[in-house]
């Protein structure tokens, strides 16, 4: 539909969030003649970014990585210039900088976080506190923008506990963020279960078990009545409606959102009963010149808080502005997320509200998997479902909603590899099924793109937009390419057509000992920062000698260049190995003397080691000499290698211990020290089921039993925590060590670059069952090779620090200035805090008033 019989003019977009950006891109893609001049007025000071992946900020992603904005000469983007008023009579919008006339106005103002009127939440509890920008008291945050997340991160430094008000999707994301910030985390949810909108009672119960195992404490069926302060003004905790108390230093409110409809209200546009700019199926308001899209729009009175409906609205308006007849097709409210490391998905009629519907459920308490399908009364049509713990089948099931089941219900629900479970594939879907609900891409459209030459996932994304939003359909894109006969590339990088696993075998079988030989015979070019460290790791894994000899030195990652971890101010940390955390008083004294004599910052790590920070590069050999002479060796904190084997005190001291956990931890750490791998490796041994060493958060973990040892494989902490899975029970020590040997060597031979053991096991066809067949039953006939490989490693181990100290040529690299080897770098300076040296000039938040700052040590 056109305006006044014409198409074109000035279109002003208010808001540059995900939906506003999608509208601009859709309009520019369709408007080849350039009939519309586009102005975007944004409230935030940065261009559109991916709010769906907002929590990736705590995984290390920055604004550039999340950025969605593509520079376009046809778009006038004004950042940090919010619209103040809309003058419908004159057809202009006003900002603090001036006026902008429009022929069409698109409101994409999104929503704002709802903060309930909780006593103590606001600086000022007056009427303004409940608006779109409530004045929250220090220590209380919302979880909406990158600035919000940065503020949470900064405030969390030095604090111990955090609480999230709200146990829905956003609340659990916020809880995971607080965990990653090393805070003891609580979640307060008014409903009787977590994620009450998405999952049913049984799914919520399974999710709660996961959450509690990860150390998050849920408080369900209660409301927060007050946020209380300490005498110094800092937060003390939350008072709950049942009279209980939650001590906390930081609060994140994730209690829902409200549409940003204030501009529309002030301009006299009708709004929905529960807020939102009222629009029809074309997303047009009562004013023929004004449209609304995304979370601020109420289509027939309903606001949608997901990105997929917003994208659909954006496409409709772009089409209408160019004379089309598109209408809003309705909303797919399906969701799939990994929350606190747990797969959770809901699709279609997840709660079974359709009259006469049937439920088919699958529950496996051992693996923490719950799944439910909602079927029509004749059990022929899929209506919806819930998946917790394993969402492998989600893409196919979601795409099948409203149509016939793509297989027997139990086969669809049980994970592949379990009895009765076959999984489900894209081949069973009809051509019209939506594979990507975020962008409305069907199977037929993807098949057509493949037929036109899209030969990999990036090409499909670029051509169809499938997989570019939440990403849950990417596995199906891979399936579709495979069933279409497209061979996916496994190339490590542009210089090698081989995968890391294939390069490992080429180097091993051909006896290649240098990168130059490998790239000459099996690659091209000079290599890059992807393939060089990978090959360096493979060569080291195969026992190719000192890692800094010859051309190997140029291949190493930054830390390996100096056998130490570089820090933010250009100094290095030194981490001597302390197997099992056991150390004699004499060695403790040596570490103290070294730290004192070289003025190093000293910290006991979570892996039961002592980290010495602040060493200049020319000091490293002198520090190593003192440590090596006292019996220490490199702890390989700088390498993709075994780091530590943590232990509790076990049966030697603990009244609950049933095995010698310290002795085993020391033996394992000495056996695998220096073992280079695709990623760092951590381990732990607990002397009883109380798990004080936290063995299940490690790549391989051992827990003592009355009859021997239980072995857990494929766990990790870090940004994406994952519990290791039980591999074998009640093992004798000999079998335990044999299986760990084979696990590590099989991982080193077959994993991708920078792939942790958890991801490696998850990606393995057949998962843990396949791994068990390989390293226990010898299904591939590899066990003898794996045993021999670990034997060569144990027999050839040599400490890299000592090797460096014993060779004058190797020592020459440890200088700040080549022409003045004994001169320290003058740019490295320190100041003193809590009696220890720290980098000068760093930004640190002060400790709250009233708390000790020096622990009795002069500052």
């Amino acid at each position: 539909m056109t305006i006044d019989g014409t198409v074109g003019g000035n279109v002003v977009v208010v808001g540059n969030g995900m939906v506003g950006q999608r509208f601009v891109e859709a309009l520019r893609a369709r408007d080849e003649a350039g009939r519309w001049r586009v102005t975007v007025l944004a409230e935030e000071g940065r261009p559109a970014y991916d709010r769906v992946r907002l929590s990736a900020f705590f995984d290390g992603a920055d604004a550039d990585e999340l950025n969605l904005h593509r520079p376009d000469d046809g778009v006038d983007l004004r950042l940090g210039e919010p619209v103040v008023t809309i003058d419908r009579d004159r057809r202009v919008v006003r900002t603090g900088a001036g006026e902008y006339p429009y022929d069409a106005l698109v409101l994409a103002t999104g929503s704002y976080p709802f903060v309930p009127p909780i006593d103590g939440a606001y600086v000022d509890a007056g009427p303004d506190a409940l608006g779109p920008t409530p004045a929250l008291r220090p220590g209380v945050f919302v979880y909406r923008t990158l600035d919000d997340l940065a503020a949470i991160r900064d405030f969390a430094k030095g604090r111990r506990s955090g609480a999230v008000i709200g146990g829905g999707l956003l609340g659990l994301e916020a809880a995971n963020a607080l965990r990653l910030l090393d805070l003891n985390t609580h979640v307060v949810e008014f409903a009787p279960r977590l994620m009450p909108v998405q999952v049913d009672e049984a799914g919520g119960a399974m999710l709660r078990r996961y959450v509690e195992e990860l150390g998050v404490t849920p408080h369900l069926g209660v409301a927060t009545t007050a946020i209380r302060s300490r005498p110094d003004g800092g937060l003390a905790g939350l008072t709950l409606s049942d009279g209980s108390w939650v001590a906390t230093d930081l609060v994140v409110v994730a209690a829902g959102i409200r549409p940003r409809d204030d501009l529309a209200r002030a301009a006299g546009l009708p709004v929905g009963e529960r807020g939102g700019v009222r629009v029809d199926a074309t997303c047009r308001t009562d004013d023929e010149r004004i449209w609304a899209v995304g979370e601020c729009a109420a289509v027939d009175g309903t606001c949608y808080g997901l990105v997929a409906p917003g994208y659909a609205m954006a496409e409709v308006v772009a089409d209408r502005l160019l004379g089309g007849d598109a209408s809003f097709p309705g909303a797919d409210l399906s969701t799939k997320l990994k929350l606190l490391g747990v797969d959770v998905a809901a699709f279609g009629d997840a709660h079974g509200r359709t009259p006469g519907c049937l439920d088919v459920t699958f529950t496996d308490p051992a693996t923490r998997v719950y799944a439910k399908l909602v079927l029509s009364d004749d059990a022929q049509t899929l209506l919806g479902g819930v998946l917790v713990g394993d969402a492998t089948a989600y893409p196919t099931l979601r795409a099948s909603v409203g149509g016939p089941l793509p297989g027997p219900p139990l086969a669809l629900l049980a994970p592949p590899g379990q009895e009765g479970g076959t999984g489900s594939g894209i081949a069973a879907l009809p051509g019209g099924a939506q594979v990507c609900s975020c962008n409305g891409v069907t199977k037929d459209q993807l098949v057509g793109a493949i037929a036109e030459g899209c030969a990999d996932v990036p090409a499909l994304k670029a051509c169809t937009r499938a997989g570019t939003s939440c990403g849950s359909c990417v596995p199906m894109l891979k399936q579709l390419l495979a069933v279409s006969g497209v061979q996916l590339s496994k190339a490590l990088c542009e210089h090698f057509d081989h995968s890391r696993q294939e390069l490992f075998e080429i180097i091993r079988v051909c006896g290649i000992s240098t990168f130059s030989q490998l790239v000459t015979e099996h690659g091209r070019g000079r290599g890059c920062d992807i393939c060089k460290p990978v090959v360096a790791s493979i060569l080291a894994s195969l026992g190719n000698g000192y890692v800094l000899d010859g051309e190997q030195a140029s291949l190493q990652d930054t830390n390996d260049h100096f056998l130490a971890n570089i820090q933010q101010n250009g100094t290095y940390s030194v981490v001597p190995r302390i197997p099992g955390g056991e150390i004699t008083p004499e060695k403790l004294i040596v570490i103290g003397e070294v730290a004192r004599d070289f003025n190093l910052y000293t910290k006991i790590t979570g892996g039961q080691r002592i980290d010495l920070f602040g060493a200049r590069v020319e000091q490293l050999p002198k520090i190593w000499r003192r440590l090596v002479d006292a019996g220490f060796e490199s702890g390989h904190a700088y390498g993709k290698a075994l780091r530590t084997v943590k232990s509790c005190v076990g049966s030697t001291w603990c009244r609950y211990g049933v095995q010698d956990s310290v002795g085993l931890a020391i033996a394992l750490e000495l056996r695998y020290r220096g073992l280079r791998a695709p990623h760092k490796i951590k381990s732990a041994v607990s002397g009883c089921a109380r798990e004080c060493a936290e063995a299940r958060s490690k790549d391989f973990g051992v827990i003592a039993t009355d009859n021997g040892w239980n072995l857990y494989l494929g766990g990790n902490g870090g940004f994406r925590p994952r519990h290791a899975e039980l591999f074998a029970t009640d093992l004798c020590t000999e079998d335990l060590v044999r299986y760990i040997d084979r696990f590590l060597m099989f991982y080193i031979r077959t994993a991708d670059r920078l792939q942790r053991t958890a991801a490696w096991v998850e990606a393995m066809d057949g998962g843990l069952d396949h791994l068990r067949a390989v390293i226990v039953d010898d299904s591939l006939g590899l066990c003898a090779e794996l045993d021999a490989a670990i034997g060569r490693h144990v027999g050839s181990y040599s400490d890299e620090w000592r090797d460096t100290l014993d060779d004058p040529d190797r020592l020459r690299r440890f200088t700040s200035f080549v022409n003045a080897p004994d001169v320290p770098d003058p740019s490295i300076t320190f100041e003193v805090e809590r009696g220890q040296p720290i980098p000068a000039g760093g930004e640190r938040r002060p400790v709250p008033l009233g708390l000790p700052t020096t622990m009795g040590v002069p500052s």
Side-chain angles (χ1 to χ4, degrees):
M1 184 175 182
T2 59
I3 302 172
D4 296 339
T6 62
V7 174
N10 295 321
V11 57
V12 174
V13 184
V14 183
N16 188 225
M18 295 179 71
V19 174
Q21 179 67 21
R22 169 55 68 89
F23 165 74
V24 171
E25 293 176 4
L27 182 64
R28 302 304 296 167
R30 289 172 168 83
D31 187 15
E32 296 179 357
R35 289 174 287 183
W36 287 100
R37 294 176 297 278
V38 181
T39 301
V40 179
L41 302 172
E43 184 175 44
E44 286 192 69
R46 55 168 56 92
Y49 53 88
D50 190 347
R51 292 189 196 274
V52 174
R53 294 183 57 232
L54 189 63
S55 293
F57 175 83
F58 294 105
D59 290 343
D62 57 18
D64 290 338
E65 186 175 338
L66 299 176
N67 179 49
L68 297 176
H69 177 69
R70 299 173 179 85
D72 188 328
D73 292 337
V75 177
D76 182 10
L77 174 61
R78 302 296 182 96
L79 298 175
E81 192 173 339
V83 173
V84 178
T85 58
I86 301 170
D87 187 334
R88 292 168 55 192
D89 295 331
R90 295 174 54 222
R91 293 207 300 269
V92 298
V93 296
R94 184 177 300 109
T95 72
E99 293 185 342
Y100 296 86
Y102 65 82
D103 297 294
L105 177 64
V106 179
L107 301 178
T109 49
S111 60
Y112 66 89
F114 171 62
V115 180
I118 300 170
D119 181 23
Y122 307 98
V123 173
D124 177 5
D128 292 340
L130 304 183
T133 56
L136 297 174
R137 60 168 298 165
V140 179
F141 301 90
V142 293
Y143 199 88
R144 183 65 177 168
T145 68
L146 281 173
D147 289 340
D148 293 333
L149 270 59
I152 292 170
R153 177 199 60 196
D154 294 342
F155 189 86
K157 293 175 182 177
R159 290 176 168 83
R160 296 182 178 180
S161 61
V164 179
I165 299 175
L169 293 174
L170 194 62
L172 293 185
E173 284 201 40
N176 193 46
L178 299 189
R179 284 183 66 251
L180 296 177
L181 294 171
D182 293 327
L183 298 179
N184 295 324
T185 303
H186 300 260
V187 174
V188 180
E189 168 57 46
F190 180 73
R193 63 178 180 272
L194 297 169
M195 288 183 64
V197 175
Q198 288 78 22
V199 304
D200 58 7
E201 184 176 352
M206 187 70 75
L207 181 59
R208 176 175 183 165
R209 293 178 66 183
Y210 271 111
V211 167
E212 289 177 332
E213 286 182 355
L214 292 171
V216 175
T217 304
H219 305 265
L220 305 180
V222 293
T224 303
T225 58
I227 300 175
R228 297 304 183 200
S229 305
R230 300 196 309 262
D232 62 10
L235 296 189
L238 307 178
T239 301
L240 305 185
S241 57
D242 62 357
S244 59
W245 169 260
V246 176
T248 184
D249 305 310
L250 179 155
V251 174
V252 177
V253 182
I257 57 175
R258 297 292 185 269
R260 287 286 298 271
D261 57 14
D262 46 314
L263 279 175
R265 288 176 185 270
L269 292 172
V271 297
E273 183 178 346
R274 302 185 65 182
V277 188
R278 183 175 286 278
V279 297
D280 59 19
T282 70
C283 298
R284 175 176 269 171
T285 70
D286 277 10
D287 186 321
E288 67 171 4
R289 300 267 179 180
I290 303 177
W291 283 260
V293 295
E295 293 171 342
C296 72
V299 184
D300 293 328
T302 300
C303 292
Y304 298 99
L306 298 174
V307 70
Y311 280 175
M313 296 178 206
E315 298 283 346
V316 167
V317 176
D319 180 77
R320 287 278 172 168
L321 288 183
L322 292 169
D325 59 1
S327 295
F328 181 61
D332 181 356
L333 302 182
S334 302
T335 53
K336 174 182 177 290
L337 294 160
K338 185 175 284 289
L339 298 166
L340 294 160
V342 182
D343 282 339
V344 180
F347 52 95
D349 183 11
H351 293 286
R353 296 190 174 98
T354 303
C357 64
L358 306 173
D359 288 354
V360 178
T361 61
F362 172 90
T363 304
D364 185 351
T367 59
R368 303 287 197 273
V369 170
Y370 168 77
K372 178 182 78 171
L373 294 184
V374 180
L375 309 178
S376 60
D377 55 3
D378 61 359
Q380 298 300 307
T381 303
L382 178 63
L383 302 178
V386 175
L387 306 171
V388 177
D390 186 319
T392 307
Y394 168 77
T396 303
L397 292 173
R398 191 213 68 236
S400 302
V401 170
L405 282 170
L410 184 60
L412 295 171
L413 290 179
Q418 289 205 353
E419 184 177 355
T422 61
S424 52
I426 197 170
L429 293 180
Q434 278 195 0
V435 173
C436 176
S437 62
C438 291
N439 297 287
V441 184
T442 65
K443 177 182 174 181
D444 280 342
Q445 289 173 311
L446 290 166
V447 170
I450 293 172
E452 293 175 2
C454 292
D456 55 24
V457 170
L460 280 178
K461 287 183 174 182
C463 182
T464 67
R465 287 187 179 273
T468 59
S469 296
C470 75
S472 66
C473 63
V474 169
M476 292 190 74
L477 303 185
K478 295 178 180 178
Q479 288 182 34
L480 191 55
L481 287 164
V483 300
S484 300
V486 176
Q487 189 69 34
L488 298 180
S489 173
K490 296 181 180 179
L492 178 66
C493 69
E494 62 187 270
H495 302 103
F496 291 98
D497 295 328
H498 307 284
S499 66
R500 181 197 174 277
Q501 179 181 356
E502 291 168 341
L503 287 177
F504 187 101
E505 293 304 315
I506 289 171
I507 293 170
R508 184 181 69 86
V509 173
C510 299
I512 292 174
S513 59
T514 65
F515 178 84
S516 57
Q517 180 186 357
L518 179 68
V519 77
T520 299
E521 298 178 4
H522 300 278
R524 67 189 73 86
R526 298 182 179 181
C528 62
D529 57 2
I530 294 177
C531 59
K532 285 182 176 181
V534 169
V535 174
S537 173
I538 294 173
L539 292 171
S541 299
L542 292 171
N544 203 48
Y546 182 71
V547 296
L548 297 180
D549 274 348
E551 72 166 28
Q552 283 196 101
S554 64
L555 307 179
Q556 305 298 328
D557 282 323
T558 303
N559 287 331
D560 293 274
H561 279 299
F562 293 107
L563 308 179
N565 275 23
I566 191 168
Q567 304 301 316
Q568 63 176 335
N569 67 337
T571 61
Y572 291 82
S573 66
V574 177
V575 186
R577 187 173 301 285
I578 303 177
E582 183 180 83
I583 188 168
T584 64
E586 289 76 15
K587 286 189 174 182
L588 271 176
I589 290 170
V590 169
I591 290 178
E593 290 175 340
V594 168
R596 179 197 62 202
D597 294 348
F598 289 92
N599 194 33
L600 304 178
Y601 175 95
T602 310
K603 187 179 187 302
I604 297 175
T605 73
Q608 297 180 334
R609 304 200 292 188
I610 298 176
D611 207 339
L612 307 174
F613 291 86
R616 297 190 305 271
V617 65
E618 75 275 4
Q619 293 178 315
L620 290 173
K622 300 173 185 177
I623 294 170
W624 296 341
R625 171 58 67 193
R626 297 272 295 273
L627 294 172
V628 168
D629 288 348
F632 289 103
E633 62 182 28
S634 167
H636 285 93
Y638 48 83
K640 299 294 186 290
L642 178 82
R643 296 292 178 84
T644 66
V645 180
K646 186 178 179 180
S647 76
C648 64
V649 296
S651 58
T652 305
W653 292 95
C654 180
R655 64 186 186 279
Y656 300 113
V658 294
Q659 301 288 351
D660 180 11
S661 55
V662 178
L664 180 64
I666 292 172
L668 293 176
E669 185 160 342
L670 294 178
R671 183 173 183 81
Y672 305 126
R673 57 186 171 176
L675 184 65
R676 299 281 174 151
H679 206 287
K680 64 184 177 185
I681 301 170
K682 295 184 179 182
S683 177
V685 181
S686 287
C688 73
R690 285 169 176 79
E691 249 284 70
C692 291
E694 302 169 327
R696 289 194 62 197
S697 64
K698 309 301 183 186
D699 296 277
F700 65 95
V702 182
I703 301 177
T705 71
D706 290 330
N707 301 313
W709 308 98
N710 285 352
L711 175 60
Y712 293 80
L713 298 180
N716 61 252
F719 284 130
R720 296 181 175 86
R722 184 188 187 281
H723 267 178
E725 298 181 62
L726 181 62
F727 180 80
T729 61
D730 293 333
L731 296 172
C732 67
T733 303
E734 291 76 14
D735 286 343
L736 172 76
V737 174
R738 184 181 301 113
Y739 295 155
I740 297 174
D741 285 352
R742 295 171 180 175
F743 166 73
L744 292 174
M745 295 314 300
F746 189 48
Y747 163 65
I748 290 170
R749 287 180 63 159
T750 62
D752 290 335
R753 64 177 288 267
L754 301 180
Q755 186 177 38
R756 294 206 71 164
T757 59
W760 174 66
V761 173
E762 287 177 346
M764 190 180 294
D765 289 339
L768 215 61
D769 290 335
H770 174 69
L771 185 61
R772 193 176 289 110
V774 171
I775 66 180
V776 176
D777 303 329
D778 201 14
S779 62
L780 299 181
L782 290 176
C783 286
E785 288 185 31
L786 301 177
D787 293 342
I790 200 70
R792 287 192 296 271
H793 166 75
V794 174
S796 63
Y797 171 75
S798 182
D799 175 34
E800 292 170 351
W801 286 357
R802 183 180 291 277
D803 293 342
T804 303
L805 295 170
D806 291 344
D807 190 324
D809 289 334
R810 293 169 177 171
L811 285 171
R812 291 193 182 99
R813 75 167 38 247
F814 294 92
T815 59
S816 293
F817 303 102
V818 175
N819 59 345
D822 296 323
V823 175
D825 186 343
S827 67
I828 296 175
T829 58
F830 299 90
E831 57 189 71
V832 176
E833 185 173 281
R834 295 184 299 277
Q836 294 217 72
I838 60 172
E843 292 187 6
R844 291 175 299 281
R845 297 186 69 88
V847 176
L849 294 175
L851 296 182
T853 59
T854 63
M855 301 294 288
V857 179
S859 60

